[in-house]
Structure formats: C-alpha cells, structure tokens
Amino acid sequence: MTDATLIDGKAFSEKLVERVAERAAELSAIIGRPPALAVVLVGDNAASAVYVRNKIERTTAAGMRSVEHRLDADTGQAELLALIDELNNDDGIDGILVQLPLPDQIDEDAVINAITPDKDVDGFHVVNAGRLATGQDSLVPCTPFGCLLLLQDHLGDLSGLNAVVVGRSNIVGKPMAQLLLQQSCTVTIAHSRTRDLAALCATADILVAAVGRPEMITGDFVKPGATVIDVGINRVPAPERGEGKFRLTGDVDFDSAAAVAGAITPVPGGVGPMTIACLLRNTLVAAARRFDATIGEI
Ligand code: GUN
C-alpha cells in the first residue's frame, strides 16, 4: 500500500536530457563540433558493459559525440594511464569517464586522479571533490547531483531540513552530504558502524539510502512524511517469477517505507535514470567551460 508521492526520476531525467540536447546543439554551433565524451571500459564485467553501452547510446541520442575505448581485463596500469594522457591532450575530447570498478592490478585512485580535472565528468578527481567541499565551481558526481535535483524539484528550498545520508562512499555518500550541506541542510552521514541506525534515520526529513544492501531501510527507519531517496540498484533472486529469475530492488524496502514516507523514489525509475542525465549535463558543462562559451540555463 503506497501512501507516499512517487518521485518519478525517469520523467524528470527525460526533461533534463531534452534541455541538455538543446544546449548541446547551441554549443555545437559555437565551437564547430558536438561536445565529446570518451568512455573507457577495462575488462569484461557484464554490469559495467551494460552501463557503458547505455552511456554511449544516450550521449549520442543527445546530439553529442561519444568515443569508446575497450581494453582487455589484463591491461596494466601504465597502458591505461597512457590512454588517459592521450585523451587529456586531445583537444577534441571534452569529458573522460573510466568505468569502475577496475581490475585488481589497477589502482583506481591513481587512474581517477590522472584525468585532467576539467574533463573529469564523473567528478571523482580529488580536485573536484575539494572544489565541491569548499563551495567552488566543480564537476559534481552524477548520482548525488541527480538526487539533489529530484529533492529540489519535490521540496523546493531544502534549507534547515535534517538530512541523513546512509553510506559514505566517495561516489555517492560523501558528495551527497556536501551538496545537502551547501543547501543549508543539517547533515549526518551514517554508515555500517553507526549505532541505532533506525532511530537516527527516523530523525531525517530527507533520507538518502546508498548502502548497497537490498531493502535494508524499512518503514521503521522513516520519519512520517519524510522524503526518501533510494540510490540502491540491487539484483536479487525472484523465484516467484520463475526459476533463475531476478528482479531489481533498492536499498529501501519500498512497501514498508512508502507507507510512512511523504515521498519516495522507486527502483527502477527513480535515481537510476538521473545518473546518466547528469553525466550528459556534466559533459556539456565541461565542453562549454573548456571553450569559455556561454550557453543558456540547463
Ligand atoms: N561504476 C558505478 N557507478 C559509476 C559511475 O557513476 N561512474 C563510473 N565511472 N563508474 C561507475
């Protein structure tokens, strides 16, 4: 039984992509070519291959150019760093994305920090993390930025609200907390060692779940009327659909949380589509900044 308003990330992301495509056409006319994203995939992780294919298709559909680089699973760090150096120095490339996770022989931090910060469309480089933390213009990680856009669309001004972010990853939890702090929320980051997580979460006007544990956040974690953002995308067995079948579920137990929340994002169709939309937005922003071009509001 769903009492909460459903936050439709799919519909919101489609409108955002339309605006990005319009601005990409505008920028293409100014710089004489479409904004260009290089996507690097190392190895044969099946989930990563699907994500990369989606990113490439959506980039092209928005009128931008995407260039794919596929490297073998046994690629060494030096070879990958050499490719990044080439892309950094390629004037025809505006954004570089290296799909994570990388194989064990490669140091992820070294790779992320080898990307020139102005082309770091994932916003993972330590310079972009530092710029975000100090309130300077930066490329912002796509998933938390997408969550913020959904929150602002639903709630308007977030100032003074209590926000609890469950999860402390560099990709989601930490930048999410920075973005909410910038909006004058009172922010707590919770994690696997947090004591009495349910009671803490139940103080949140905004509850962001980014733990990677299927349906861990249940209705008793939710303050009545709170806005719940579910970042999790977990593939779990679904024997009710037949032998060997799976379904996608979030980090939030949707039914019990929706019975208490004021609004909630579904999985799929909530945060997921926002991530790619924000990647396209970051690619456009990176291209415009590199050419010092002024384009309209996105
Ligand atoms: N792997 C999982 N999420 C992401 C992401 O947002 N960017 C990259 N580069 N890799 C990922």
Side-chain angles (χ1 to χ4, degrees):
M1 171 63 189
T2 304
D3 296 315
T5 302
L6 264 191
I7 297 179
D8 188 345
K10 186 166 182 290
F12 190 98
S13 71
E14 282 165 4
K15 281 188 259 161
L16 175 56
V17 171
E18 268 175 36
R19 294 198 299 277
V20 169
E22 279 169 25
R23 298 302 175 214
E26 199 181 316
L27 184 61
S28 302
I30 298 171
I31 68 177
R33 62 160 178 81
L37 172 68
V39 181
V40 181
L41 175 63
V42 186
D44 39 25
N45 180 310
S48 289
V50 172
Y51 288 134
V52 162
R53 194 175 62 231
N54 270 337
K55 286 172 185 178
I56 289 170
E57 282 175 8
R58 300 286 297 280
T59 306
T60 312
M64 301 196 268
R65 188 166 86 96
S66 71
V67 185
E68 186 180 2
H69 293 268
R70 278 178 182 260
L71 302 179
D72 291 339
D74 62 0
T75 298
Q77 180 155 324
E79 190 184 336
L80 179 54
L81 290 176
L83 172 61
I84 288 172
D85 190 47
E86 195 182 300
L87 296 170
N88 282 341
N89 290 306
D90 185 341
D91 214 30
I93 294 293
D94 304 299
I96 303 169
L97 179 146
V98 179
Q99 187 66 26
L100 305 178
L102 290 168
D104 288 347
Q105 73 275 15
I106 297 176
D107 175 352
E108 264 179 20
D109 285 341
V111 170
I112 289 167
N113 291 322
I115 297 170
T116 193
D118 295 346
K119 293 188 179 185
D120 167 38
V121 285
D122 265 323
F124 295 163
H125 192 290
V126 70
V127 164
N128 280 317
R131 285 182 185 155
L132 176 63
T134 52
Q136 301 173 56
D137 266 354
S138 65
L139 288 165
V140 178
C142 304
T143 300
F145 190 61
C147 294
L148 180 69
L149 294 179
L150 292 179
L151 283 165
Q152 288 179 318
D153 184 56
H154 182 67
L155 293 170
D157 181 12
L158 307 183
S159 155
L161 297 178
N162 283 340
V164 173
V165 179
V166 190
R168 55 177 157 179
S169 70
N170 292 337
I171 294 182
V172 182
K174 287 179 201 161
M176 185 78 253
Q178 293 292 356
L179 287 168
L180 291 166
L181 186 60
Q182 228 171 53
Q183 298 304 314
S184 302
C185 291
T186 302
V187 184
T188 308
I189 303 182
H191 47 77
S192 54
R193 301 285 177 91
T194 296
R195 291 190 189 157
D196 205 351
L197 180 64
L200 175 69
C201 290
T203 66
D205 303 305
I206 294 170
L207 180 58
V208 180
V211 269
R213 288 182 55 188
E215 298 170 357
M216 188 194 133
I217 306 292
T218 47
D220 52 323
F221 288 56
V222 179
K223 176 177 170 176
T227 303
V228 178
I229 303 290
D230 189 353
V231 179
I233 303 179
N234 308 288
R235 196 164 165 265
V236 296
E240 72 281 3
R241 294 185 180 179
E243 210 185 300
K245 295 283 185 196
F246 289 84
R247 67 184 169 93
L248 286 185
T249 189
D251 292 348
V252 175
D253 175 42
F254 185 85
D255 288 342
S256 67
V260 186
I264 186 166
T265 58
V267 177
V271 173
M274 292 300 292
T275 298
I276 293 190
C278 291
L279 170 67
L280 303 183
R281 185 185 187 281
N282 274 356
T283 303
L284 175 63
V285 168
R289 285 188 190 152
R290 288 187 65 237
F291 286 88
D292 212 9
T294 307
I295 50 171
E297 281 275 307
I298 304 169

